[in-house]
Amino acid sequence: MSTIRLTMAQALVRYLCNQFTLIEGKKEPLFAGLFGIFGHGNVTCLSEALERVQDQLPTWRGQNEQSMALAAVAYAKAMRRRQIMVALSSIGPGALNMVTAAGCAHANRLPILILAGDVFANRRPDPVLQQVEHFGNPTISVNDAFKSVSRYWDRITHPEQIISSLPQAVACMLDPADCGPAFIGLCQDTQEIAFDYPEAFFTPTVHSIPRPRPDRDRVADAVALIKSARRPLIISGGGVRYSGAEKTVGDFALKHGIPMAETIAGKGAVTHDHPAHVGPIGVIGSTSANEMANVADVIIAIGTRLQDFTTGSWTVFSHEARFVSINAARYDAVKHRALAVTGDARETVVEIEAALGVWKADATWTQKGKTAFKGWNELLDHHQKPSNAAVPTYAQVVGQVNTWAAPNDTLVTAAGGLPGETAKGWRVKNPNTYDLEFGFSAMGYEVAGGWGHAMAKKGDGETIVMVGDGSYMMLNSDIYSSVLTGHKMIVIVCDNGGYAVINRLQNFKGTPSFNNLIKDSRVKQPFAVDFAKHAASMGALTRHCESLADLDAALKWAKTTDRTTVISIVTDAFAWVPGDADWDVGVPEISDRPEVQKARAHHNEIRKKQRIGV
């Protein structure tokens, strides 16, 4: 057997460079690049190996381990899980900074390879810099924290171990059912050790995403249940997009007259004006989709994990409604007593389509969806219409940015008030041009995610980031990264004086404003951040807007700039597009506040409406 003598770090890098994937039939590197911050736990060995292949496997220097890993998550989402980025850190605080991003990838079923330095396998110099010590278990390091947020976890204590570990990590990240973050801890002394690796280990390998077919009996059962429906409703989830099933599902809905709602992750599988589309569903959904869900008798859930924001904590649906759940993951498919059809979204819908034949939902039900969606659009128009108010609302800002955006521009946003305002109010013009990270609701994803999307788009349209002032203050350093690397973003900072949407929830559940808006926090004197000046100090081109008219001019200007451009605008902290779905969050059972007592009574009514399921 032919062998190649390499250090473990060199062998790992060579293996990554020899993995490929098919994207639209074209062979591309599976690992498109690496986000890395070097420390003593990886700089001497891994940087030596990576420097040699920097033109083949580019290393991008981040400013913060969490943000660079979030950028990797966004890249995977933009590429619909067909290409993967690596996030690399030293041990200790650098590694722990990536745990949040791993949680984000895990919740959203997205691939990322996380490589972190680890303690010495031989333990000779223990305790080393940044090593925490567990008195009863010396095998534990900070990297054990990744176990709860990884689909695959390993620690390399001998150079031979990567021969079995790396293929397993790749297989996990490419599996539609198990897809998520893969973590590998690399002991510092093991990285340096040379080993005679089999040459076959480095054979170039082309991977493709498997498409598991559903069981025939389950397909037949699903067809029978759908045919029995008088009021069927499709819920299109993120799995539709990752399967590449957007057109298949849209055509299926249209042919059979089934109204099609969308989840947060599924938004953008079809355009806003698709004739079967009835809007987003759930807590931050539309009145139209929620109205249809409330009376639907069969729900066809495709590629969704049925998160509480989709189901309104299981209050959106009739207790008598039946579920057909199509999902690559058995765990997601069997939820809530659903008829589980485990398989790839596209292939499963194709098989159900063939068996359904000419069956079609009742025309009055189809028309009800169109009428409800028309009413929803009119409601959006009302809230997004410019007014003479001194401070614009989120809805007005979102509406204006949406009108200005080109069809191939991509919107990126995440936690705070913008999820609700964009899930409701952003009218998608082209499929797969919307990314709302709300599976984990990770504040700080927005700017970092924008950097990842800008990399993936490669100049095909603008990457538009909408971020609240709270998230901006948490994580903004990749504005600097994007200017340094030449990946342009247009960032709109909506400044509403703090954590406004959680303040709204606090008030709604009976507690006075406290520690959310800056003015309601323990501060000497509240004042606003000059976001334009701050971003300018990181190399961005910037403007601050005082009005919607200013915003219109700034957006037109932003299209002409040659680098990341940041626009700030003050927005109303109390005006929101109303929702009509419930959400189960804890409300005190006992309180001397009448407002809390009233909120608790209302919450008890919410819980009476919940479907009881698993």
Side-chain angles (χ1 to χ4, degrees):
M1 181 177 63
S2 298
T3 60
I4 304 174
R5 189 163 183 80
L6 298 167
T7 69
M8 184 272 279
Q10 293 164 353
L12 184 154
V13 170
R14 180 174 291 203
Y15 178 86
L16 297 182
C17 288
N18 280 291
Q19 307 307 303
F20 298 90
T21 182
L22 292 175
I23 301 176
E24 306 299 334
K26 184 180 178 182
K27 178 182 170 183
E28 299 283 358
L30 177 61
F31 296 99
L34 184 146
F35 293 102
I37 294 178
F38 291 122
H40 73 276
N42 59 10
V43 70
T44 55
C45 295
L46 271 170
S47 73
E48 187 272 342
L50 288 167
E51 189 275 337
R52 294 172 178 271
V53 298
Q54 57 185 292
D55 294 330
Q56 184 179 358
L57 181 67
T59 298
W60 303 97
R61 181 190 178 279
Q63 316 307 319
N64 175 285
E65 291 88 356
Q66 178 181 328
S67 69
M68 71 182 191
L70 287 173
V73 172
Y75 187 97
K77 187 182 288 190
M79 299 304 297
R80 289 188 283 169
R81 305 198 304 200
R82 279 152 177 76
Q83 209 170 24
I84 302 168
M85 294 292 279
V86 183
L88 172 71
S89 81
S90 185
I91 191 176
L96 287 178
N97 279 349
M98 298 193 292
V99 172
T100 296
C104 181
H106 194 284
N108 286 283
R109 309 340 194 211
L110 291 167
I112 174 178
L113 177 59
I114 298 174
L115 302 175
D118 213 318
V119 295
F120 273 68
N122 64 24
R123 303 185 189 172
R124 189 179 305 144
D126 285 6
V128 298
L129 179 65
Q130 298 180 345
Q131 180 177 353
V132 299
E133 294 180 278
H134 286 258
F135 300 162
N137 189 344
T139 67
I140 293 176
S141 78
V142 296
N143 289 337
D144 287 84
F146 284 92
K147 289 180 177 177
S148 65
V149 288
S150 298
R151 293 287 186 188
Y152 180 84
W153 189 98
D154 198 4
R155 173 180 286 123
I156 304 302
T157 59
H158 187 282
E160 186 176 352
Q161 291 172 345
I162 64 169
I163 297 174
S164 60
S165 186
L166 288 174
Q168 291 289 349
V170 169
C172 173
M173 290 185 287
L174 293 179
D175 189 321
D178 289 341
C179 185
F183 172 87
I184 301 180
L186 306 171
C187 290
Q188 296 171 62
D189 50 341
T190 308
Q191 294 177 39
E192 73 188 55
I193 298 173
F195 182 78
D196 293 318
Y197 288 93
E199 191 173 12
F201 180 58
F202 307 109
T203 301
T205 303
V206 180
H207 301 271
S208 60
I209 307 295
R211 291 189 178 276
R213 268 61 174 179
D215 178 80
R216 292 175 182 175
D217 291 341
R218 295 293 78 76
V219 169
D221 291 342
V223 169
L225 184 53
I226 294 169
K227 283 185 174 181
S228 74
R230 297 175 57 200
R231 299 177 301 278
L233 176 70
I234 290 172
I235 300 178
S236 174
V240 172
R241 296 173 64 183
Y242 300 140
S243 171
E246 302 95 329
K247 187 176 187 305
T248 300
V249 173
D251 290 350
F252 174 81
L254 188 60
K255 176 181 177 181
H256 297 288
I258 307 176
M260 178 180 174
E262 58 194 0
T263 70
I264 293 163
K267 184 178 174 72
V270 297
T271 63
H272 182 81
D273 294 326
H274 187 281
H277 183 223
V278 294
I281 191 171
V283 176
I284 55 175
S286 59
T287 56
S288 48
N290 289 339
E291 177 185 342
M292 302 298 286
N294 190 249
V295 294
D297 58 356
V298 173
I299 289 93
I300 307 165
I302 309 174
T304 170
R305 63 191 184 118
L306 295 173
Q307 181 222 28
D308 67 341
F309 261 64
T310 297
T311 67
S313 300
W314 289 103
T315 65
V316 167
F317 309 104
S318 161
H319 285 218
E320 289 71 41
R322 295 287 307 278
F323 279 76
V324 175
S325 186
I326 300 168
N327 207 294
R330 174 195 53 79
Y331 185 91
D332 289 325
V334 302
K335 289 177 180 175
H336 230 77
R337 306 193 303 275
L339 170 57
V341 187
T342 305
D344 173 72
R346 192 186 74 184
E347 299 306 313
T348 302
V349 171
V350 166
E351 291 194 22
I352 290 175
E353 158 71 34
L356 267 180
V358 297
W359 178 89
K360 198 167 186 176
D362 188 279
T364 57
W365 172 248
T366 306
Q367 184 56 47
K368 179 179 173 64
K370 294 180 182 296
T371 301
F373 193 50
K374 180 176 182 292
W376 171 247
N377 278 307
E378 290 170 352
L379 182 64
L380 283 182
D381 291 341
H382 169 73
H383 284 283
Q384 293 182 341
K385 182 180 179 180
S387 65
N388 294 322
V391 179
T393 66
Y394 262 27
Q396 290 170 331
V397 173
V398 169
Q400 190 154 322
V401 175
N402 193 188
T403 300
W404 157 84
N408 61 334
D409 293 345
T410 295
L411 177 71
V412 182
T413 191
L418 283 163
E421 298 302 304
T422 63
K424 293 174 181 177
W426 189 268
R427 307 184 209 203
V428 173
K429 300 173 184 178
N430 268 356
N432 297 305
T433 56
Y434 177 86
D435 174 10
L436 166 55
E437 195 299 290
F438 212 52
F440 202 55
S441 187
M443 295 184 73
Y445 174 88
E446 299 91 335
V447 172
W451 187 28
H453 271 275
M455 281 188 177
K457 286 184 75 69
K458 299 178 175 66
D460 180 18
E462 301 283 3
T463 298
I464 304 164
V465 175
M466 295 195 72
V467 58
D469 55 305
S471 278
Y472 180 98
M473 291 298 290
M474 280 195 176
L475 212 54
N476 54 60
S477 59
D478 284 325
I479 290 173
Y480 180 54
S481 301
S482 69
V483 175
L484 284 172
T485 61
H487 298 104
K488 180 189 173 184
M489 305 181 283
I490 297 175
V491 182
I492 295 99
V493 184
C494 296
D495 181 3
N496 55 20
Y499 306 138
V501 80
I502 207 68
N503 181 73
R504 176 196 186 194
L505 178 62
Q506 186 178 48
N507 295 165
F508 182 62
K509 297 302 181 182
T511 301
S513 296
F514 172 67
N515 201 50
N516 286 316
L517 297 180
I518 295 169
K519 68 182 182 64
D520 300 318
S521 303
R522 191 179 293 276
V523 297
K524 183 177 180 180
Q525 179 66 44
F527 66 93
V529 172
D530 191 328
F531 294 102
K533 286 185 178 178
H534 181 267
S537 73
M538 292 188 284
L541 300 174
T542 67
R543 281 192 187 181
H544 176 70
C545 301
E546 299 288 347
S547 65
L548 291 173
D550 284 352
L551 178 61
D552 182 62
L555 290 170
K556 291 174 180 174
W557 162 72
K559 283 278 189 180
T560 70
T561 60
D562 63 353
R563 74 191 78 163
T564 289
T565 302
V566 177
I567 300 167
S568 64
I569 184 168
V570 175
T571 49
D572 194 306
F574 298 95
W576 309 93
V577 176
D580 66 342
D582 295 312
W583 188 32
D584 191 352
V585 291
V587 179
E589 188 173 4
I590 298 173
S591 174
D592 58 4
R593 298 180 189 272
E595 298 86 354
V596 174
Q597 295 169 7
K598 182 180 178 181
R600 175 68 187 194
H602 177 251
H603 213 76
N604 288 337
E605 294 303 311
I606 290 174
R607 287 177 172 167
K608 288 179 183 178
K609 295 192 296 182
Q610 289 177 313
R611 287 169 57 105
I612 305 301
V614 179

